[in-house]
Amino acid sequence: MKAIVTGHTKGLGASLAYNLLARGVPVLGVARTRAPKLAAEFPELFDEVELDLADGTALAQWLDGHALADYLDGTGAVLLLNNAGMVSPVGPLEQQDPQAVLRAVALNVAAPLALSAAVARASSGAQRRILHISSGAGRNAYPGWSVYCGTKAALDHHARAVAMDEQHGVRICSLAPGVIDTGMQAEIRATPTASFPMRQRFVDLKETGSLADADECAERLVDYLLGAGYGDEVVADLRSLG
């Protein structure tokens, strides 16, 4: 078994990568930066690629090479954790920088969809479990978050359609992990209320200690990913799973 984790250098992605490595699962991390602590602690299990997943050209060039197929060669099971994402741009349409919209769609949608296809093609015959880190924002519209809501909803619908293909050896789930105490939450709290009218809700979650711990969330998420029932619920919420 081998795992690929995007956005593995911070937040939930860092916790997911660490949890898998601690269980003895080899991990390939893909992000703009590197994770020296993981490399030092798990030198035999951890590999990483420094790649900006919001850069479609760079991602296409990497996928056109042999690195992914070489990494997955000979493994009997593959885990793909599409975790990398961004909440910006935030605000109504006239405040959104079109270039920022393009980057968000590339990172939040194009990259996970392309990686899912690439992993499936490069690991034919293996058991493949694909996990999209989604959000409640993909299922409920929030003012100021049209891009974030739209991109997360795309992941949910992608998972539904992939599951309908019933491809042998492929199980997929688009999973909302809950509201986690990460850098993304700090970014949300720093957003002006004029751009994101629901800002105070997230400030209150922090002040009342209601944010989930990233390591605890990763533990539950990996348990589910490795469990027998993974993918039975194609669009799911970690908080409601048994």
Side-chain angles (χ1 to χ4, degrees):
M1 178 183 292
K2 288 184 176 180
I4 300 168
V5 181
T6 67
H8 68 288
T9 60
K10 59 185 178 180
L12 178 61
S15 295
L16 288 169
Y18 185 89
N19 191 284
L20 287 162
L21 290 164
R23 297 180 190 227
V25 178
V27 169
L28 173 66
V30 185
R32 289 180 299 168
T33 56
R34 293 184 175 271
K37 291 184 179 179
L38 291 179
E41 187 167 351
F42 302 100
E44 302 300 321
L45 294 175
F46 180 62
D47 292 285
E48 58 187 334
V49 176
E50 197 170 336
L51 179 64
D52 183 358
L53 290 169
D55 183 339
T57 300
L59 176 57
Q61 289 175 345
W62 185 70
L63 292 177
D64 278 343
H66 301 287
L68 181 62
D70 289 346
Y71 181 75
L72 296 178
D73 185 41
T75 188
V78 181
L79 311 174
L80 172 62
L81 289 75
N82 285 312
N83 162 79
M86 62 193 300
V87 71
S88 61
V90 176
L93 283 175
E94 64 270 18
Q95 293 182 14
Q96 295 172 13
D97 177 355
Q99 294 299 321
V101 174
L102 287 170
R103 282 188 61 81
V105 174
L107 178 62
N108 292 2
V109 183
L113 268 58
L115 283 167
S116 297
V119 165
R121 288 168 64 92
S123 58
S124 180
Q127 295 297 311
R128 290 151 289 178
R129 296 193 173 193
I130 300 169
L131 171 67
H132 294 328
I133 298 298
S134 185
S135 168
R139 298 149 204 185
N140 300 282
Y142 296 145
W145 272 10
S146 59
V147 174
Y148 188 62
C149 290
T151 56
K152 290 303 183 181
L155 294 183
D156 289 355
H157 220 43
H158 177 260
R160 293 185 182 104
V162 169
M164 291 177 70
D165 289 335
E166 297 183 340
Q167 185 174 359
H168 179 71
V170 174
R171 297 181 69 82
I172 189 169
C173 178
S174 189
L175 182 67
V179 188
I180 307 169
D181 196 3
T182 63
M184 181 178 285
Q185 283 298 310
E187 180 183 348
I188 291 168
R189 295 192 299 273
T191 304
T193 302
S195 297
F196 183 49
M198 295 183 66
R199 171 185 173 274
Q200 190 59 45
R201 173 192 171 190
F202 292 88
V203 172
D204 293 343
L205 288 172
K206 176 67 173 179
E207 292 180 348
T208 59
S210 301
L211 296 176
D213 178 77
D215 291 339
E216 293 177 1
C217 180
E219 179 78 15
R220 289 191 60 205
L221 197 153
V222 174
D223 281 346
Y224 175 60
L225 178 61
L226 298 176
Y230 180 76
D232 289 348
E233 190 173 346
V234 176
V235 175
D237 191 307
L238 185 62
R239 294 164 292 188
S240 64
L241 292 174

